[in-house]
Amino acid sequence: MGGLFGNDPLEALGAHGARRRNAKSRSDAPRTMRTSAPITIAQRVLVAVERGVDAYPEGLTYGVTPELAPLRAGQRVTVPLGRGDATTHGWVVRVLESAENTGISDTKLKAVHSVDDTVALPAQVMELARWMSAYYACPLGVALAGVLPAAVKKGVGRVDRTFVSLTQRGRDVIAQLQAAAQQRARRGKKDAAAAQPPRFSPAQKRLLEALIDRPADADAIESAELLAAATVATKSPLHSLATLGLLELTTRSHVEADWLEQAARLENRTPTPPALTPDQQRAVSAIGSTISGGFSQHLLFGVTGSGKTEVYLQLMQQCLDAGRTALLLVPEISLTPQTAGRVLDRFPNERVAILHSALTAAQRNQQWMLVAEGKARVVVGARSAVFAPIPDDQLGLVLVDEEHDQSYKQDQAPRYHGRDLAIRRAQIAACPIVLGSATPSLESWFNATERGTSVLHRLPTRAPGLTTPKVEIIDFSADVRRFRDRRVHLLGERLAESLARVVSEDGQAILLLNRRGYANWISCSARCGWMMRCEHCDAGMVCHEGPRARFVRCHHCLTEQRLPEKCPDCAASVTVFGLGTQRVEEELVRVHPALAVPGAVLRVDGDSMRGSRDLHDALGRFATGEVRVLVGTQMIAKGLDFPNVRLVGVVNADTAINLPDFRAAERTFQLVNQVAGRCGRGSSGGRAIVQTFQPDAAAIRLAAAHNFEGFAAQELAARKQFGLPPYRRMARVVVRHASETAARDEAKRVRDALDRLPECKGCEVRGPHACPITRVSDRFRMQVEMFAPDAAALQRLITAARNAGAFPGGELAAVDVDPVALL
């Protein structure tokens, strides 16, 4: 934006604005703007407000005054909403043609207040948001609010810089100064007095003199740089010269943030691609041939260590060679410096935008703006990067790594699945999408092997130099009986001996236990029957080791208190039993003296890692060898590539297998198989030891054998028998209320409303019934489940239910389409 200094172009926009038209206008809701002067309407637009307004899916109609016109779809605006004309943010979703008859005169329209010219979403992102709103049963304004990062909304790091350039009048004055100087040199001071140019202060003269040698076509110079060159301390001389018309001051908006690209680069890397294996070459050739051929969907099924990332990088290069932009999505916890570094080093001449939670707010704004301006042709990010504002017609390839990962699903409105949104975005952009995993979700596997909507590419062997780890299953119930003391043992004899050997040989190890804390069972030592449970949830408390004393925490509502010393029922002592990552950390000290050295063991879980920066620092220490053993939850189960890891131990593989969720076996298989793949990436080979009380469980047995296809066949047969996804589509409505009776009654009302809809024919509705964890944060939870033969039938039912007002609004209910967790 430009203009004379002191006249901010944004001020000209002011609070002009436009009033709303409601598509289903009611006589009791005023539609006029409170103003004494008539408003001229130059344009009409549909605006989706960032509120939970679900009654008007196409948006509310507002007028646009000549001062703000023309607006276009994708711009963020403020509008008056409701009887009180509360100023509310919203998005222009469509510009109405002048011939469209809305049934409301200009005099009854509310007007748009203001527009943010620094933010505009591409048409393809707007279309994606519309689809997300319809598919995931979320108001369009809420969906759009989730598209834009908070840092961009607030303009964090955005500064206005002033740039200085000479006007023609200023050049004429400089010419006079130069001519006067030449006259003084030729005639002497007495004769030169009659040819003096306009008078300026010493500071003004120095400013003009600093601009003398700049070419006429030179770019404008930043004011701070000019002031420094002229040794002028204040901006007042600039202002006065601009007022005289000698200088033009231009204000430009810029996002200031430290650039992290160099910090993410890895040392000793080379951008030269390695030679591909025959399997990799076949995948690259087959997928690469579709880059310019419109939409296509591919599943890259490769065992851990097979080189899927190299396939991604070579496909990204082909996309860049075609003049398009590549988008790579990875799970948040897998977006490590290793992942980012490989991408950055492979494309040293490209600006790579990295979007994830470890960035500061200013950096998120900066990276988002780089993408929006088309300056970054490679975008790498976590789930929300699917909304990256890549300019229309520029997106050429979408890749989703670890597509099975549960973290791609958002647990609050809009409850979208990042993988499925990525597929839809590729469809809108008419470009190929690649879903990659060593343990694909059964939905993706079903689409590739039965439905035929995805092309399957296999990488069945590890890359050269990597060995497939040997996996050993230990029946922990037999191991426990060998211990003669009464102390709790989490590491069996075989795992402890193997770990001690690896440490003695200067190797490293990873131990997985997908349970935080110290112990998950707190009860009376006298066995009177008391067990400590959360006062606000139907769940037990978990004991944690604090810096000074033990405390207990609920992992659902996060309530904390000190660990009681005595049983409240019989006054006996309290005992803690069970397992957690803190207890494993404590036990490792007894395995080998080297592990007793401070810093040799590092715990990586949601308690010790407060953010991605902590995780990245921990992995950096592990990479240097400072840390010998990593103990953690699923945060360390994927995306790690450390050649010196010779042992992976699964402390307890049963933590999820018995949960009341039909995906429990699938998640157990994925977790065990993925973590076992963290070893065997160096010349010394690797071994994985899996401790379990259920050694014959199919998920554990087949994961140890690296037999995904066998597991998938068995699990899909069971899903088909019971009519579960992917053979049917599922949605879940969870009603929450402080009263159990009220929650059940409201859920019953939802069920009855669904049964009355014609669209319910051919679908199945179950419930209402209590959720497995019935009470969370003093709210009772009742659920109604919907099953449909396909996505279209499910969407017809959900759309009809929304139109009929079957779903409670606000915080009373949550609609979850394609849920990944049922607790």
Side-chain angles (χ1 to χ4, degrees):
M1 298 181 197
L4 290 180
F5 189 93
N7 292 332
D8 186 349
L10 291 179
E11 290 180 358
L13 301 181
H16 301 292
R19 289 172 301 197
R20 174 187 83 170
R21 181 201 45 99
N22 191 321
K24 297 182 179 180
S25 178
R26 299 180 303 177
S27 59
D28 60 342
R31 308 296 177 202
T32 59
M33 186 177 185
R34 292 178 175 87
T35 177
S36 58
I39 295 177
T40 301
I41 299 299
Q43 195 179 26
R44 292 187 176 208
V45 293
L46 290 177
V47 175
V49 293
E50 294 181 358
R51 298 284 183 90
V53 178
D54 203 22
Y56 312 98
E58 297 300 320
L60 305 173
T61 304
Y62 286 86
V64 183
T65 57
E67 293 88 343
L68 298 184
L71 296 186
R72 64 184 187 278
Q75 288 186 292
R76 192 166 186 250
V77 296
T78 59
V79 295
L81 181 65
R83 298 183 180 182
D85 288 335
T87 300
T88 306
H89 284 287
W91 294 85
V92 178
V93 295
R94 188 160 72 89
V95 176
L96 296 176
E97 299 295 334
S98 57
E100 292 187 68
N101 183 12
T102 60
I104 298 181
S105 65
D106 287 354
T107 58
K108 293 185 177 180
L109 277 180
K110 292 187 178 182
V112 173
H113 279 169
S114 64
V115 58
D116 184 354
D117 286 323
T118 64
V119 175
L121 295 178
Q124 292 182 352
V125 175
M126 291 295 294
E127 185 175 348
L128 182 67
R130 288 191 193 92
W131 183 87
M132 177 172 66
S133 170
Y135 187 80
Y136 291 104
C138 174
L140 180 56
V142 175
L144 284 165
V147 166
L148 193 68
V152 181
K153 293 178 185 176
K154 298 175 182 178
V156 179
R158 186 183 303 157
V159 296
D160 289 335
R161 290 183 175 177
T162 302
F163 290 82
V164 184
S165 58
L166 280 169
T167 63
Q168 186 56 50
R169 183 180 176 187
R171 296 186 185 281
D172 294 341
V173 169
I174 287 179
Q176 292 181 38
L177 289 173
Q178 292 174 325
Q182 292 172 359
Q183 288 179 4
R184 284 196 300 270
R186 289 196 305 266
R187 304 177 185 177
K189 293 183 180 180
K190 183 176 181 180
D191 293 335
Q196 285 289 334
R199 289 185 172 275
F200 297 103
S201 69
Q204 290 173 331
K205 286 183 180 180
R206 292 199 300 273
L207 287 170
L208 292 173
E209 289 169 355
L211 294 169
I212 287 176
D213 296 330
R214 293 178 61 80
D217 58 348
D219 292 335
I221 183 174
E222 190 175 356
S223 60
E225 182 181 350
L226 176 62
L227 291 171
T231 62
V232 176
T234 69
K235 292 183 178 180
S236 296
L238 273 179
H239 296 179
S240 57
L241 290 174
T243 302
L244 293 172
L246 306 183
L247 302 181
E248 182 178 16
L249 306 183
T250 303
T251 301
R252 299 177 188 172
S253 181
H254 177 77
V255 178
E256 287 191 341
D258 293 332
W259 182 248
L260 288 186
E261 181 172 328
Q262 295 301 323
R265 293 190 183 278
L266 300 181
E267 296 180 0
N268 303 320
R269 288 283 188 175
T270 172
T272 304
L276 297 177
T277 66
D279 294 321
Q280 288 176 318
Q281 186 60 61
R282 280 190 289 271
V284 170
S285 298
I287 301 172
S289 65
T290 68
I291 285 182
S292 299
F295 172 75
S296 58
Q297 185 173 327
H298 306 266
L299 176 61
L300 183 62
F301 168 48
V303 300
T304 56
S306 59
K308 293 185 291 295
T309 302
E310 184 57 39
V311 172
Y312 301 154
L313 293 173
Q314 300 230 2
L315 290 173
M316 292 166 74
Q317 184 63 65
Q318 292 187 28
C319 175
L320 295 174
D321 292 342
R324 308 288 289 278
T325 298
L327 170 63
L328 171 62
L329 300 183
V330 299
E332 178 73 47
I333 59 176
S334 295
L335 189 51
T336 64
Q338 285 187 317
T339 306
R342 290 193 65 178
V343 176
L344 289 164
D345 289 337
R346 179 59 61 87
F347 306 110
N349 298 320
E350 293 287 347
R351 175 160 277 188
V352 179
I354 301 176
L355 307 173
H356 65 104
S357 64
L359 303 181
T360 66
Q363 287 164 348
R364 291 177 198 170
N365 192 3
Q366 176 200 56
Q367 299 287 292
W368 196 91
M369 286 297 183
L370 285 174
V371 178
E373 295 166 0
K375 296 179 180 177
R377 294 205 302 148
V378 177
V379 183
V380 182
R383 177 181 63 214
S384 61
V386 71
F387 304 117
I390 299 169
D392 291 330
D393 302 323
Q394 285 300 306
L395 182 59
L397 177 67
V398 180
L399 305 120
V400 183
D401 190 29
E402 307 288 3
E403 63 84 25
H404 67 277
D405 197 277
Q406 190 174 339
S407 67
Y408 280 120
K409 177 73 170 179
Q410 178 153 296
D411 59 0
Q412 60 185 6
R415 292 175 175 80
Y416 66 86
H417 198 298
R419 176 200 62 211
D420 297 339
L421 269 188
I423 294 173
R424 181 58 184 159
R425 176 141 200 202
Q427 290 175 333
I428 295 171
C431 72
I433 181 171
V434 181
L435 311 177
S437 178
T439 55
S441 66
L442 292 183
E443 287 80 4
S444 296
W445 185 254
F446 174 78
N447 289 336
T449 59
E450 295 194 32
R451 286 187 65 199
T453 57
S454 187
V455 180
L456 179 62
H457 307 271
R458 285 183 168 88
L459 301 179
T461 59
R462 285 195 150 194
L466 305 185
T467 59
T468 301
K470 298 177 181 178
V471 182
E472 183 179 352
I473 298 177
I474 301 296
D475 183 352
F476 200 54
S477 61
D479 238 19
V480 168
R481 289 193 289 269
R482 296 192 184 100
F483 295 116
R484 299 185 181 278
D485 56 23
R486 299 185 62 183
R487 181 169 51 85
V488 173
H489 292 267
L490 300 185
L491 304 183
E493 186 177 65
R494 177 73 172 137
L495 179 55
E497 290 176 353
S498 299
L499 179 59
R501 187 182 312 112
V502 165
V503 173
S504 298
E505 295 171 355
D506 292 327
Q508 292 176 292
I510 293 175
L511 297 183
L512 170 76
L513 176 60
N514 204 25
R515 182 163 287 164
R516 293 181 289 127
Y518 183 81
N520 62 320
W521 188 273
I522 306 167
S523 62
C524 175
S525 61
R527 300 182 181 178
C528 73
W530 175 82
M531 187 186 80
M532 191 171 191
R533 300 183 66 81
C534 178
E535 296 179 355
H536 310 285
C537 308
D538 289 341
M541 301 291 277
V542 178
C543 178
H544 287 255
E545 288 279 4
R548 298 181 179 178
R550 290 181 177 179
F551 66 95
V552 295
R553 174 188 295 155
C554 173
H555 286 183
H556 298 281
C557 69
L558 304 182
T559 295
E560 291 184 3
Q561 66 181 76
R562 293 193 65 173
L563 177 69
E565 296 180 356
K566 296 182 178 181
C567 170
D569 291 348
C570 69
S573 61
V574 170
T575 184
V576 294
F577 188 75
L579 65 171
T581 51
Q582 287 183 320
R583 198 164 207 157
V584 175
E585 187 180 24
E586 177 185 86
E587 189 167 342
L588 284 173
V589 176
R590 298 188 290 268
V591 171
H592 192 281
L595 300 183
V597 177
V601 176
L602 184 62
R603 177 167 50 87
V604 177
D605 57 25
D607 296 325
S608 60
M609 303 288 112
R610 296 298 182 182
S612 295
R613 289 184 181 275
D614 291 339
L615 176 60
H616 296 173
D617 177 68
L619 297 181
R621 292 167 58 194
F622 190 63
T624 63
E626 175 188 347
V627 175
R628 306 292 298 278
V629 178
L630 276 185
V631 180
T633 57
Q634 61 181 347
M635 297 175 73
I636 60 172
K638 59 180 73 69
L640 305 185
D641 185 357
F642 298 106
N644 198 34
V645 174
R646 305 177 192 177
L647 175 68
V648 165
V650 180
V651 177
N652 188 331
D654 310 328
T655 53
I657 199 169
N658 294 320
L659 293 176
D661 188 328
F662 70 87
R663 287 192 172 89
E666 180 182 4
R667 282 197 284 269
T668 297
F669 179 94
Q670 291 167 344
L671 192 62
V672 173
N673 185 274
Q674 288 280 347
V675 74
R678 298 311 105 204
C679 62
R681 295 173 177 259
S683 58
S684 56
R687 173 181 296 274
I689 296 178
V690 180
Q691 298 183 154
T692 174
F693 288 96
Q694 303 178 57
D696 296 325
I700 295 173
R701 179 170 45 81
L702 293 171
H706 308 288
N707 186 3
F708 171 79
E709 296 194 43
F711 170 77
Q714 180 176 313
E715 186 69 11
L716 283 174
R719 301 268 186 98
K720 186 175 184 179
Q721 178 183 355
F722 295 104
L724 295 169
Y727 291 94
R728 292 199 296 176
R729 301 304 285 263
M730 179 184 180
R732 179 175 180 240
V733 181
V734 178
V735 177
R736 300 166 291 201
H737 201 282
S739 164
E740 184 174 10
T741 301
R744 191 178 301 277
D745 290 345
E746 187 63 27
K748 180 66 166 57
R749 188 195 66 79
V750 172
R751 167 64 190 266
D752 293 342
L754 290 171
D755 287 340
R756 289 192 297 268
L757 295 173
E759 291 80 5
C760 194
K761 185 178 181 180
C763 301
E764 180 187 1
V765 181
R766 298 178 184 176
H769 49 257
C771 295
I773 303 177
T774 304
R775 185 172 58 105
V776 174
S777 298
D778 292 323
R779 296 266 176 179
F780 291 91
R781 305 161 68 241
M782 300 292 166
Q783 63 182 353
V784 176
E785 296 172 336
M786 295 170 279
F787 293 86
D790 52 45
L794 182 62
Q795 280 308 297
R796 286 193 295 270
L797 176 58
I798 291 176
T799 300
R802 292 175 70 186
N803 292 339
F807 300 145
E811 295 295 320
L812 186 57
V815 181
D816 191 2
V817 180
D818 299 331
V820 299
L822 301 179
L823 297 185

